[in-house]
Each structure stands twice: as structure tokens, then as C-alpha cells.
Amino acid sequence: MKAVRLSFFQMAVAMRRDMMLYAACLTPILAGFFFRFAIPILEALLMEHFQIPEVISPYYKLIDIFFAMLSPTMFCFVSAMVSLEEADEKTAGYLFITPLGKTGYLIARFGIPASAALLVTMILLPCFKLTVFSPLSILLFVAAGTLQGVIVALLVLTLSSNRLEGMAVTKLFTLTIFGAAIPFFIKDNIQYVLFILPSFWIGKAACEDTLLYIVPALALSAVWIYFLLKWYLRKI
């Protein structure tokens, strides 16, 4: 565990040298304040302007689960950028044959950041949520959101060869979290076209107030992570 701890601290040092990555870690807090305070104000203004009882409020749950996926995505994005730099410099492969090993490297680069994201989101979501969630709901949504962040990071790593490509791929595959919006806007069975996306099932669980839908979200996330990890390890 000492090697894992040192490797993680090495990544943290690399992150602090890059202000973009440092700012990415602060994004969830800034977004939380915006969602919690600016959205209700905007809702009031729109209701007054259009003279209707609700505009954004039917989608408050959607905003909350987007927030549950935001912190993991940002934390894992930072880890992916550091890992891409190491892969580009050919240091990642050498780290695999040190006492750190493959398992230690993956824990340091993905396990710890994902765990930190889960903990941070468990603290932030109750503070910034717009709707009422039970403690169990918060735990399940945050756990599913954390796995979604890991998936985005692994997609970036497997499909990019350097940080510049990684930035472009991140913008593209961050869109996968918007699968959560489908159940809120498409009510007929055509929505199941996107069943392969874990975020779709997270959105369905929130939209229909049925936590059972988190089960396929978690199962699909495990499948995605398994195959992406194999692809990533084969690549480097």
C-alpha cells in the first residue's frame, strides 16, 4: 500500500502543476452553488415571464443526478489526463514492473480518485440537491454516478494517445451522461434504444422513482469497466 500511496501523491503533485486539472477538481463545488441557487431563481423568473406554474422544476431530479455524475467525471478526468501523459512518456508500462504493479497502478489512478469522488459527492449532493432523496437513494445514485465517471475516464484512455486527443475525446464521451435525460423526455418504448448506457438506467430510476433500475445501471457499468480495462491494459 505504500507504493500505491506514493503513486497517488505523485499524481496529485502532477495535478497541482496544471491549473486546468486543479480547476477541474473545484468544478463540482461551483456547479453545486449554481444548481442550488441559480436554477430556482431562473425558474421563478421563467414562471413569471410565461405565466405558467412550472418550467424547470419537473426536471429538478434530472439536474440532481447530473450533479451526482459530475464530481466522479471531473475527478476521473484529472486521473485520465495524468495517465495519458504517463502513457505518452512510456512511464506507465515501466510502473507496472515496479513494486506498484498493475493492480497498484490502477488503484492509484482510478480506485482512489473514484473513492474520493464518491465521498465528495456524498457530502455535496445533500447540500446542493433540488429534490428530496432518501439516504439510500443518494448512496445508490452516487455509486452509479461514480462508475459512470470511471467509464468516461477509461474511454478517454483507450481512445486517446495524448492529452490533446484526450481533451477532445472527453468532450465527446461526457455526452454519454446525457443518456439520463432520455426517460424524462421520451416516454414510449423507443427510449430503450439507449439501454446499453448505464446513465439511461440512472435517469430511469430517478424519473420513475424506482431504485430497482439502479441494478442494470450498476451491472452495465461493471461490464463496460471490465472490457475497457482489458482494452486499456492491452494498449499500454
Side-chain angles (χ1 to χ4, degrees):
M1 289 305 294
K2 181 179 179 181
V4 172
R5 186 170 64 252
L6 290 174
S7 180
F8 174 74
F9 287 148
Q10 179 187 21
M11 183 181 72
V13 170
M15 179 197 75
R16 291 188 62 182
R17 291 198 302 263
D18 190 323
M19 289 305 298
M20 181 194 71
L21 300 183
Y22 189 72
C25 292
L26 299 178
T27 298
I29 298 175
L30 300 176
F33 277 105
F34 177 79
F35 290 161
R36 180 64 181 85
F37 300 107
I39 294 294
I41 293 172
L42 180 60
E43 168 74 340
L45 292 174
L46 290 173
M47 288 166 54
E48 182 179 357
H49 179 76
F50 293 108
Q51 295 297 306
I52 54 179
E54 57 184 18
V55 180
I56 307 174
S57 57
Y59 308 106
Y60 277 1
K61 279 189 177 180
L62 177 60
I63 293 171
D64 285 341
I65 59 174
F66 276 154
F67 184 73
M69 292 185 279
L70 179 62
S71 292
T73 300
M74 290 296 99
F75 277 51
C76 293
F77 160 76
V78 170
S79 175
M81 291 299 102
V82 174
S83 297
L84 275 176
E85 186 174 355
E86 291 172 341
D88 191 39
E89 295 173 350
K90 310 298 183 184
T91 58
Y94 291 113
L95 288 172
F96 284 1
I97 57 174
T98 67
L100 181 65
K102 287 184 181 181
T103 302
Y105 181 84
L106 294 175
I107 292 173
R109 293 296 179 271
F110 299 105
I112 296 178
S115 299
L118 188 146
L119 179 61
V120 167
T121 311
M122 286 291 294
I123 295 171
L124 294 181
L125 183 58
C127 296
F128 295 127
K129 62 184 173 63
L130 296 170
T131 52
V132 177
F133 285 110
S134 68
L136 177 61
S137 297
I138 291 175
L139 175 61
L140 291 176
F141 281 122
V142 171
T146 299
L147 294 179
Q148 179 66 39
V150 175
I151 289 170
V152 172
L154 288 173
L155 282 168
V156 171
L157 287 172
T158 54
L159 298 175
S160 309
S161 57
N162 54 59
R163 286 186 54 170
L164 184 60
E165 290 182 8
M167 291 290 294
V169 173
T170 299
K171 292 176 183 178
L172 176 63
F173 283 103
T174 299
L175 296 176
T176 58
I177 71 174
F178 288 97
I182 299 302
F184 285 85
F185 295 99
I186 300 176
K187 298 303 181 181
D188 55 27
N189 289 336
I190 196 173
Q191 65 180 253
Y192 290 101
V193 169
L194 295 178
F195 78 96
I196 195 67
L197 296 178
S199 60
F200 166 78
W201 296 101
I202 298 173
K204 197 160 181 65
C207 181
E208 300 187 10
D209 288 316
T210 305
L211 291 179
L212 189 62
Y213 285 121
I214 293 292
V215 175
L218 297 175
L220 280 170
S221 294
V223 172
W224 275 77
I225 291 171
Y226 173 77
F227 285 105
L228 287 171
L229 267 178
K230 288 186 67 175
W231 189 1
Y232 169 62
L233 291 174
R234 188 163 58 245
K235 175 184 174 182
I236 62 173

